[in-house]
Amino acid sequence: MSGWMLLRDHKIIDHGERQRTIRHPRSALGITRGQRVLLLTVDGRTKQSVGVSLEELAQLMLALDCVDAINLDGG
């Protein structure tokens, strides 16, 4: 199962103010310009890691040179 699209054509998709502030553990799948597939997991709900918002996750995927990316269901 998948969740929200994060990037399309190297642009962050905005999901509203609430999704810019709520942090959770998350996983994302992305495709780079070089056609590599990346899987990223961010820990959360601990003292060491509070997780990321959807926008922060999109920014991470963009920094990793992803052109398209999607948030997966669950962390």
Side-chain angles (χ1 to χ4, degrees), residues 1 5 8 12-14 16-17 21-22 28 31 33 36 41-42 48 51-52 54 56-57 62-63 70 73:
M1 185 169 196
M5 283 296 297
R8 171 131 2 239
I12 294 176
I13 298 173
D14 184 7
E17 181 63 31
T21 59
I22 298 173
I31 306 293
R33 279 189 266 209
R36 291 185 177 198
T41 301
V42 178
Q48 292 79 22
V52 292
L54 286 177
E56 290 168 331
L57 185 59
L62 195 59
I70 190 165
D73 186 29

Side-chain angles (χ1 to χ4, degrees), residues 1-72:
M1 185 169 196
S2 67
W4 305 81
M5 283 296 297
L6 300 168
L7 301 174
R8 171 131 2 239
D9 297 324
H10 219 115
K11 292 183 176 62
I12 294 176
I13 298 173
D14 184 7
H15 295 291
E17 181 63 31
R18 187 162 192 258
Q19 296 304 330
R20 285 191 287 275
T21 59
I22 298 173
R23 290 190 169 113
H24 291 292
R26 300 195 190 262
S27 296
L29 184 72
I31 306 293
T32 68
R33 279 189 266 209
Q35 298 299 302
R36 291 185 177 198
V37 176
L38 297 182
L39 178 62
L40 176 74
T41 301
V42 178
D43 194 12
R45 297 189 185 117
T46 68
K47 290 180 183 179
Q48 292 79 22
S49 176
V50 295
V52 292
S53 69
L54 286 177
E55 183 167 316
E56 290 168 331
L57 185 59
Q59 290 169 353
L60 283 170
M61 297 305 280
L62 195 59
L64 293 169
D65 200 33
C66 288
V67 176
D68 296 313
I70 190 165
N71 177 59
L72 300 176

